[in-house]
């Protein structure tokens, strides 16, 4: 998974569908029924567990959006970490609900985890994976455009975020390197590197004169040089640790 639909609206729709599916499944199938739970209790369990799943998925949607906007990338490792985070907060949420006066459950945390939570996780996991995998295809996003403006009225450049490679300082100007038809182009506008960085926080500074779009980082040429898409730039010692963390 190299892409991610960060739309809060789209993810909340998915969260709502997951919650509805969990409610219907839990209420009808009763996956951990021991014969002692009446209809009212099952309704409360199904509703509480599904509503908590929706809230936790909403938290996940907000956090993943912030992380993705900061680093401009997504991979299987991040996907696994965020799903693990979802299950941790979900476990805390439904156990608190289970022990609340509403249900007044008698299981200890260990018993609750092995008897109830594991079954709920097995029910939820394939649905969440499929929903997140096909979210982009089923609900496509519009291209994310950037508008970079200079001090002069005619200093305007509108490009896709994914096409921006890097921005370099040029005295009282900045030079913007971007892709167009798979070729590297550049445009100079009157502005400062600091101003550009404040406006576009996803950019990473690797040198006092250079900002890069981390999604275009390819590899290290040597200890002091990085290879981006169709361009190489120097890296200063003060910013090396930041780049190594990408």
């Amino acid at each position: 998974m190299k892409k991610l639909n960060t739309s809060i609206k789209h993810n909340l729709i998915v969260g709502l569908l997951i919650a509805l599916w969990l409610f219907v499944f839990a209420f009808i199938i009763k996956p951990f029924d021991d014969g002692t739970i009446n209809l009212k209790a099952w309704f409360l369990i199904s509703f509480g567990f599904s509503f908590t799943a929706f809230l936790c998925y909403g938290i996940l949607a907000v956090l993943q959006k912030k992380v993705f906007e900061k680093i401009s990338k997504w991979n299987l490792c991040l996907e696994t970490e965020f799903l693990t985070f979802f299950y941790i907060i979900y476990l805390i949420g439904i156990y608190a609900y289970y022990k609340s006066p509403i249900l007044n459950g008698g299981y200890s945390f260990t018993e609750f985890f092995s008897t109830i939570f594991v079954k709920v996780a097995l029910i939820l996991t394939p649905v969440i994976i499929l929903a997140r995998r096909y979210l982009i295809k089923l609900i496509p996003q519009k291209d994310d455009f950037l508008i970079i403006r200079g001090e002069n009225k005619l200093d305007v450049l509108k490009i896709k975020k994914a096409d921006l490679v890097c921005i370099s300082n040029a005295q009282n100007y900045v030079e913007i390197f971007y892709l167009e038809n798979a070729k590297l182009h550049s445009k100079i506008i009157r502005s400062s590197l600091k101003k550009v960085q404040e406006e576009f926080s996803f950019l990473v500074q690797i040198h006092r004169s250079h900002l890069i779009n981390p999604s275009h980082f390819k590899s290290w040429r040597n200890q002091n040089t990085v290879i981006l898409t169709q361009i190489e730039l120097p890296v200063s010692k003060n910013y090396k640790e930041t780049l190594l963390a990408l």
Side-chain angles (χ1 to χ4, degrees):
M1 179 180 286
K2 295 181 179 180
K3 295 182 179 180
L4 181 72
N5 189 333
T6 59
S7 167
I8 299 296
K9 177 182 177 181
H10 294 168
N11 278 279
L12 288 180
I13 292 173
V14 169
L16 181 60
L17 293 175
I18 290 173
L20 289 173
W21 182 89
L22 180 62
F23 174 83
V24 172
F25 184 91
F27 191 69
I28 295 176
I29 305 299
K30 300 180 176 61
F32 41 85
D33 187 8
D34 60 0
T36 64
I37 305 175
N38 59 39
L39 186 64
K40 179 181 178 181
W42 263 114
F43 176 83
L44 292 174
I45 290 172
S46 302
F47 176 79
F49 281 27
S50 59
F51 182 71
T52 304
F54 173 74
L55 291 180
C56 292
Y57 198 85
I59 294 172
L60 175 71
V62 173
L63 290 178
Q64 72 182 11
K65 178 180 176 67
K66 290 183 178 180
V67 171
F68 186 78
E69 287 178 347
K70 184 175 181 180
I71 65 176
S72 298
K73 68 176 182 179
W74 200 256
N75 53 40
L76 183 59
C77 181
L78 285 168
E79 182 73 3
T80 303
E81 289 175 357
F82 269 77
L83 287 181
T84 301
F85 171 77
F86 166 79
Y87 277 120
I88 290 173
I89 61 174
Y90 183 55
L91 172 59
I92 294 171
I94 60 174
Y95 183 69
Y97 176 72
Y98 173 77
K99 299 296 284 187
S100 71
I102 299 175
L103 296 179
N104 196 26
Y107 283 143
S108 66
F109 182 80
T110 303
E111 292 171 331
F112 177 85
F113 180 85
S114 60
T115 305
I116 297 178
F117 179 75
V118 171
K119 293 179 181 179
V120 173
L122 289 174
I123 293 168
L124 270 180
T125 300
V127 177
I128 293 176
I129 290 174
L130 288 174
R132 290 174 64 81
R133 182 174 180 179
Y134 293 104
L135 181 59
I136 298 175
K137 295 181 180 179
L138 296 177
I139 315 176
Q141 289 181 289
K142 296 180 180 179
D143 290 328
D144 193 1
F145 282 93
L146 303 175
I147 299 179
I148 306 174
R149 303 180 186 276
E151 295 178 8
N152 300 324
K153 291 183 178 180
L154 298 181
D155 279 346
V156 178
L157 177 63
K158 181 179 180 181
I159 56 175
K160 292 180 182 179
K161 180 179 178 180
D163 289 339
L164 176 61
V165 178
C166 61
I167 300 177
S168 299
N169 186 46
Q171 294 182 351
N172 294 326
Y173 298 82
V174 292
E175 186 171 9
I176 304 163
F177 294 88
Y178 61 97
L179 297 177
E180 188 175 297
N181 298 323
K183 292 184 178 181
L184 189 67
H185 296 262
S186 69
K187 178 177 177 63
I188 295 177
I189 67 173
R190 188 176 181 87
S191 186
S192 67
L193 212 62
K194 182 180 180 180
K195 183 178 179 181
V196 173
Q197 188 176 28
E198 289 175 350
E199 188 173 357
F200 304 106
S201 58
F202 70 93
L203 296 172
V204 175
Q205 188 158 13
I206 64 169
H207 188 277
R208 65 179 183 179
S209 299
H210 303 293
L211 301 172
I212 69 167
N213 183 345
S215 63
H216 284 280
F217 172 80
K218 299 298 182 184
S219 63
W220 289 83
R221 169 70 69 189
N222 51 52
Q223 293 184 349
N224 303 309
T225 309
V226 290
I227 301 174
L228 307 177
T229 304
Q230 300 185 31
I231 193 172
E232 296 182 12
L233 292 176
V235 179
S236 58
K237 294 181 180 180
N238 293 337
Y239 301 102
K240 186 175 292 186
E241 291 299 322
T242 302
L243 192 55
L244 287 171
L246 293 179

